[in-house]
Amino acid sequence: MKNHTFTFMGTGAGCGVPSFFCDCPACEEARANPRARRGDCGTMIKGEKTLFIDTPPDLRHQCIRENVRRIDEVLYTHCHSDHVGGLLELEYLVQLKQKEALPVYGSAETLAGIAQEFHYMTYALDMREIAPMDTVEFDGVKYTALPCTHAAGTYGYLIETGDTRMFYASDTGKLPSETYERLQDIDILAMDATFWKNNWSPAAHHSVQECIEEGLSLNAGKIYLTHLCMHYDEPITLVELEEFLTQYEGRVEAAHDGLTFEI
């Protein structure tokens, strides 16, 4: 019986949708239609306790939207600002409510970056290094850190409940072979789909088309596109993207902020 939910707290690339400086069709669509708006990437897995993957700059607003009152543990994918920038909110959570250091996991590179950037609040964090291929068990769920093709020390997480195998990787180019091999026949794949058509940064990100191709090659049961910019390299509106995805008959879906399902 499924007793955990997975929520996309944010599904956008670093500049968000709409970007404040942009008047492309995708950003104009998002200004008019809340469903098309995207904050920076992060997720929540909730059972009896609550685990977050990443703490983006939009964290406070995302938590208010989802009525989050407690965070019990955090896993980090990497130390870029669009994934750690909301960490300051955790200091207030610890100081004012939870009263004990919050366990946070990441690679050696990620934790070193956090300790340097947020040196004034490390007292509020119980920082725990996790090596590639290591597994953390929390609230009945297994999280395995799998290397991704992005910044040094970047992980995606294989999430295993009693019912579901899911892989979440917000930032990655083509998956490393050791990661790819672990993900054959995965039930759910939620992966970087930053670019539409032309991929400016193939060593660090996927395009929509590349994400779908790799997901299908893994025989993933369901593919969610995330870390969507919507105006790299060519703007595409949500309406246009969803029309493009109809050819996959529901197997591929553009994730949106607040999307929740059971795992």
Side-chain angles (χ1 to χ4, degrees):
M1 183 178 70
K2 295 181 179 181
N3 56 6
H4 291 83
T5 57
F6 180 97
T7 299
F8 288 99
M9 301 297 283
T11 58
C15 56
V17 185
S19 296
F20 73 90
F21 53 82
C22 185
D23 58 1
C24 76
C27 287
E28 289 299 293
E29 176 194 46
R31 289 187 177 97
N33 178 9
R35 184 171 171 272
R37 297 172 190 167
R38 300 182 185 278
D40 291 333
C41 272
T43 71
M44 174 175 66
I45 296 91
K46 188 172 180 61
E48 292 185 5
K49 297 183 178 181
T50 300
L51 179 143
F52 272 45
I53 300 178
D54 290 340
T55 54
D58 304 315
L59 180 70
R60 181 167 65 88
H61 301 287
Q62 293 171 350
C63 286
I64 291 170
R65 184 194 71 216
E66 299 299 328
N67 196 30
V68 175
R69 302 301 177 90
R70 182 177 179 87
I71 301 172
D72 296 291
E73 196 158 284
V74 180
L75 304 179
Y76 281 103
T77 59
H78 64 301
C79 196
H80 285 167
S81 61
D82 55 324
H83 294 264
V84 301
L87 201 152
L88 180 62
E89 304 294 341
L90 301 185
E91 183 177 27
Y92 303 135
L93 176 69
V94 169
Q95 277 190 347
L96 301 177
K97 183 175 182 181
Q98 296 186 184
K99 308 294 186 182
E100 58 183 355
L102 184 67
V104 298
Y105 290 82
S107 67
E109 295 90 342
T110 296
L111 295 184
I114 288 173
Q116 179 177 2
E117 186 69 22
F118 296 91
H119 57 88
Y120 51 86
M121 61 165 290
T122 53
Y123 74 91
L125 306 176
D126 178 5
M127 302 175 75
R128 305 178 182 183
E129 182 180 333
I130 181 172
M133 302 296 177
D134 278 358
T135 297
V136 173
E137 294 192 32
F138 180 76
D139 194 31
V141 181
K142 294 180 180 179
Y143 299 88
T144 303
L146 301 183
C148 288
T149 307
H150 194 63
T154 299
Y155 293 148
Y157 287 97
L158 174 61
I159 304 166
E160 296 175 287
T161 68
D163 300 285
T164 304
R165 291 176 69 243
M166 176 178 180
F167 183 63
Y168 174 78
S170 57
D171 288 67
T172 188
K174 185 177 180 180
L175 294 171
S177 59
E178 65 270 30
T179 297
Y180 186 89
E181 291 169 4
R182 288 289 297 271
L183 300 179
Q184 294 296 320
D185 301 316
I186 195 82
D187 296 315
I188 302 171
L189 177 71
M191 191 162 66
D192 181 324
T194 303
F195 295 88
W196 173 247
K197 295 185 178 179
N198 182 37
N199 186 343
W200 295 354
S201 185
H205 293 288
H206 282 96
S207 67
V208 168
Q209 294 84 352
E210 290 165 342
C211 176
I212 294 170
E213 180 180 351
E214 190 158 39
L216 294 177
S217 75
L218 287 168
N219 195 34
K222 178 78 175 186
I223 301 168
Y224 287 102
L225 311 178
T226 192
H227 205 269
L228 290 153
C229 179
M230 308 300 286
H231 50 170
Y232 295 164
D233 167 70
E234 175 183 318
I236 182 170
T237 65
L238 179 60
V239 169
E240 292 168 336
L241 178 58
E242 290 183 334
E243 175 61 27
F244 170 79
L245 296 179
T246 58
Q247 64 186 293
Y248 299 103
E249 300 180 333
R251 188 176 179 184
V252 182
E253 183 176 342
H256 61 82
D257 293 17
L259 174 63
T260 299
F261 50 83
E262 292 185 336
I263 56 174

